[in-house]
C-alpha cells in the first residue's frame, strides 16, 4: 500500500477515534455515522455516505444492491459497526463491497467496544 493511502487511512481512523473518544460505546451505528459526517465536513475530508453498488450476476443486474456506509477520498470504503466485535461476516461483507466497487482498500471500524476496533481490508 502506498504512502498516500497510508496517510489517508490514518486521517480517517483519526476521525473515528475522535468520535469514539467523545461518544464512547453504546449508541446505534447511525449515531456514529452522523458524528463521522460532522468530522469529515469539519476537516474538509471528501466523502459520500450510503453509496449504492449494484451487483452484476452473469451480465444481469440483481434487484438488490449493496450500500457502503461511506466512501472516503473517492476510493476508500469505510464500514461502521457498533457491535461487541468485528466478526468474519463483516470482513466477508466488506470484501464483497470491494469486489463490486472495484476499490482496493476498505476500513471496518467498530464503535461498540471500550476501545475503537479497526480492521484494514485490502483486495
Amino acid at each position: 500500500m502506498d504512502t498516500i493511502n497510508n496517510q489517508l487511512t490514518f486521517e480517517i481512523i483519526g476521525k473515528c477515534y475522535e468520535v469514539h473518544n467523545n461518544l464512547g460505546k453504546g449508541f446505534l451505528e447511525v449515531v456514529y455515522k452522523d458524528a463521522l459526517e460532522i468530522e469529515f465536513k469539519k476537516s474538509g475530508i471528501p466523502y459520500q455516505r450510503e453509496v449504492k453498488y449494484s451487483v452484476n450476476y452473469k451480465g444481469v443486474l440483481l434487484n438488490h444492491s449493496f450500500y457502503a456506509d461511506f466512501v472516503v477520498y473517492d476510493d476508500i470504503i469505510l464500514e461502521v459497526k457498533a457491535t461487541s466485535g468485528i466478526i468474519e461476516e463483516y470482513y466477508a461483507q466488506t470484501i464483497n463491497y470491494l469486489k463490486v466497487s472495484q476499490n482496493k482498500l476498505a476500513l471496518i471500524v467498530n464503535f461498540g467496544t471500550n476501545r475503537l476496533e479497526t480492521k484494514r481490508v485490502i483486495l
Side-chain angles (χ1 to χ4, degrees):
M1 199 50 47
D2 60 31
T3 56
I4 292 173
N5 278 343
N6 285 335
Q7 179 61 33
L8 299 181
T9 58
F10 180 79
E11 290 177 22
I12 294 165
I13 292 171
K15 296 304 169 194
C16 294
Y17 273 107
E18 180 72 19
V19 168
H20 193 273
N21 288 340
N22 280 277
L23 293 177
K25 69 176 188 174
F27 290 101
L28 295 174
E29 285 179 18
V30 70
V31 172
Y32 298 109
K33 292 176 192 177
D34 290 346
L36 278 171
E37 193 165 18
I38 291 168
E39 290 297 327
F40 291 155
K41 283 181 184 176
K42 188 170 71 172
S43 300
I45 294 174
Y47 72 94
Q48 294 175 290
R49 186 168 171 180
E50 300 298 329
V51 178
K52 179 181 179 179
Y53 290 108
S54 298
V55 179
N56 185 323
Y57 178 74
K58 295 185 176 182
V60 177
L61 288 181
L62 300 181
N63 291 330
H64 295 88
S65 302
F66 278 122
Y67 290 86
D69 292 334
F70 289 95
V71 176
V72 188
Y73 292 112
D74 293 323
D75 63 358
I76 300 172
I77 292 177
L78 176 62
E79 275 303 299
V80 175
K81 303 297 180 194
T83 63
S84 60
I86 297 174
I87 59 175
E88 190 63 31
E89 286 82 2
Y90 301 153
Y91 179 76
Q93 174 189 29
T94 304
I95 289 288
N96 286 333
Y97 287 157
L98 287 173
K99 289 177 184 175
V100 170
S101 70
Q102 298 181 357
N103 292 340
K104 302 293 182 218
L105 175 62
L107 298 170
I108 305 170
V109 293
N110 181 30
F111 291 90
T113 53
N114 289 332
R115 291 186 185 179
L116 182 75
E117 290 181 307
T118 64
K119 183 164 182 72
R120 188 179 181 132
V121 182
I122 301 170
L123 189 63

